[in-house]
Amino acid sequence: MADYLNAARDAGCATPILEWLAAGQALVPQLPALAAEDWAERRGGAHQLSDALAMEFTLPGPAECAVTDIRVPTRAGYLTVVHYRPPRVDGPRLAHLAFHGGGFLLGSVREVINDRLWRARAVAGGVDVFDVDYRLAPEHRFPAAIDDGLDALDWLVEHGPQFGIAPERIGVGGTSAGGNLAALIAMHARDRGVRLDHQVLEVPAASLHAERDQSFRDYSELADMGGDFSELRAAYLGTGNDSAGPTAPDEIADLSDLPAALVITAELDPLRDSGEAYATRLAAAGVPVQSWRAPGQLHGSGALTRTSPTAREWQYRVSAFLRSRATLAVSIPS
């Protein structure tokens, strides 16, 4: 963390980002589980760190957003989907199937940061959010997370009407690794004849070979990504998955007929170039795309809504996009 802080200072990052990194640096020595070999223990430490930082740097979400756990059956058993339901929605409801970040190895729907952001987005965007607690590597390698996402989507298509949600009013979205999953699920849905309404890809892991990009070479010291993706690829992909389809959006050959997209990248993010290249390819394929590069932002700083005006603009743009899709859903008859 100390290296990240010094690199951020050298890069001229704004005070809110420096304060966030300094707080993380102070917390890391108190969480030895972060260095544990056991993944369950390591995730526990990462969860504690994430929650402590979110409590300090992320604004609480609206209390009027109703939050319910749903147990969804899948081909592998059951998973938890957390439903964030905003009040007072006029007309047909819009659903957003969400996937958290964490490098395919970490993260949970139980983290404070996810609860706060999804409450805010559900209410400001006028959209029902369904946050998917997908299985994590290395215990559950690719394509387990994709399978979970598709099973959650199938469940929502079937059961959405009980929440007032028609099948054609469903979109997907995610951050970092979650953006990777959302984009791939949008592709698989299209190929299976399920037409999604939208996709929101935030600092997406659009390539699992991002170390080839200039942004990775320039900014890898500003994020916990090391010198390349070799360890992540080994943990997430393992071997023998060649028949399971693309592992990242940059491997999707045909981008036609994919849902309208919002792609947000961060100026000082190692994954910036691959995310922006994917947005460019989507637009070239005729997909309606809104894209925005968050100035001065790091890979994980979009949640600093308590202290950073740019992070608040980031969240506003996501909510506004979702609101625009919800409004469009009202204006077009079913």
Side-chain angles (χ1 to χ4, degrees):
M1 186 67 73
D3 288 341
Y4 306 150
L5 180 56
N6 288 332
R9 287 196 184 103
D10 292 342
C13 288
T15 298
I17 292 177
L18 298 179
E19 291 175 342
W20 170 62
L21 291 172
Q25 174 182 289
L27 286 167
V28 165
Q30 304 172 37
L31 299 170
L34 288 168
E37 292 188 8
D38 178 75
W39 274 101
E41 188 176 352
R42 191 183 304 186
R43 288 186 193 110
H47 194 150
Q48 286 181 277
L49 177 62
S50 173
D51 282 359
L53 292 173
M55 292 294 288
E56 184 174 354
F57 293 98
T58 306
L59 289 168
E64 66 266 27
C65 182
V67 182
T68 307
D69 282 6
I70 303 171
R71 192 166 180 252
V72 172
T74 71
R75 70 193 77 181
Y78 289 86
L79 58 75
T80 297
V81 172
V82 182
H83 180 197
Y84 294 87
R85 187 172 178 86
R88 300 181 301 278
V89 172
D90 297 326
R93 301 184 79 96
L94 183 74
H96 182 77
L97 199 64
F99 300 89
H100 63 75
F104 309 103
L105 308 170
L106 304 170
S108 165
V109 296
R110 301 302 184 194
E111 288 180 272
V112 169
I113 188 172
N114 294 321
D115 180 75
R116 292 190 168 192
L117 292 180
W118 285 126
R119 282 177 181 270
R121 291 174 174 188
V123 172
V127 58
D128 285 60
V129 175
F130 294 82
D131 196 10
V132 181
D133 201 21
Y134 58 88
R135 289 173 292 166
L136 299 172
E139 298 94 328
H140 305 284
R141 291 189 167 97
F142 174 86
I146 298 291
D147 291 344
D148 286 349
L150 288 170
D151 290 346
L153 175 59
D154 288 344
W155 174 88
L156 187 53
V157 168
E158 179 181 356
H159 295 276
Q162 74 187 56
F163 304 103
I165 297 163
E168 65 272 16
R169 309 292 195 218
I170 299 171
V172 294
T175 301
S176 192
N180 170 296
L181 298 177
L184 292 176
I185 287 164
M187 177 207 72
H188 285 292
R190 176 202 63 187
D191 293 349
R192 293 163 54 179
V194 177
R195 191 168 188 84
L196 297 180
D197 177 81
H198 65 269
Q199 54 183 322
V200 177
L201 311 178
E202 301 173 69
V203 290
S207 174
L208 297 187
H209 296 275
E211 65 269 29
R212 302 168 180 170
D213 295 333
Q214 186 63 47
S215 61
F216 197 100
R217 294 190 289 272
D218 289 344
Y219 304 122
S220 61
E221 292 184 355
L222 291 168
D224 188 15
M225 295 179 187
D228 60 44
F229 271 16
S230 58
E231 291 185 4
L232 183 149
R233 284 193 295 266
Y236 178 52
L237 300 180
T239 59
N241 293 305
D242 292 344
S243 63
T247 64
D250 69 336
E251 299 172 18
I252 303 173
D254 179 12
L255 302 184
S256 62
D257 297 321
L258 287 172
L262 170 65
V263 181
I264 291 182
T265 59
E267 180 183 7
L268 307 179
D269 181 9
L271 303 187
R272 185 195 71 198
D273 287 355
S274 59
E276 292 179 355
Y278 188 61
T280 298
R281 288 186 61 220
L282 284 171
V287 176
V289 178
Q290 296 179 30
S291 60
W292 181 62
R293 178 190 290 185
Q297 294 301 292
L298 306 186
H299 184 73
S301 63
L304 308 185
T305 51
R306 191 188 294 275
T307 57
S308 168
T310 307
R312 289 193 290 274
E313 181 180 359
W314 181 324
Q315 299 306 320
Y316 169 79
R317 285 175 178 265
V318 175
S319 296
F321 177 80
L322 293 173
R323 173 69 68 178
S324 73
R325 300 307 303 179
T327 303
L328 182 64
V330 170
S331 64
I332 299 177
S334 299

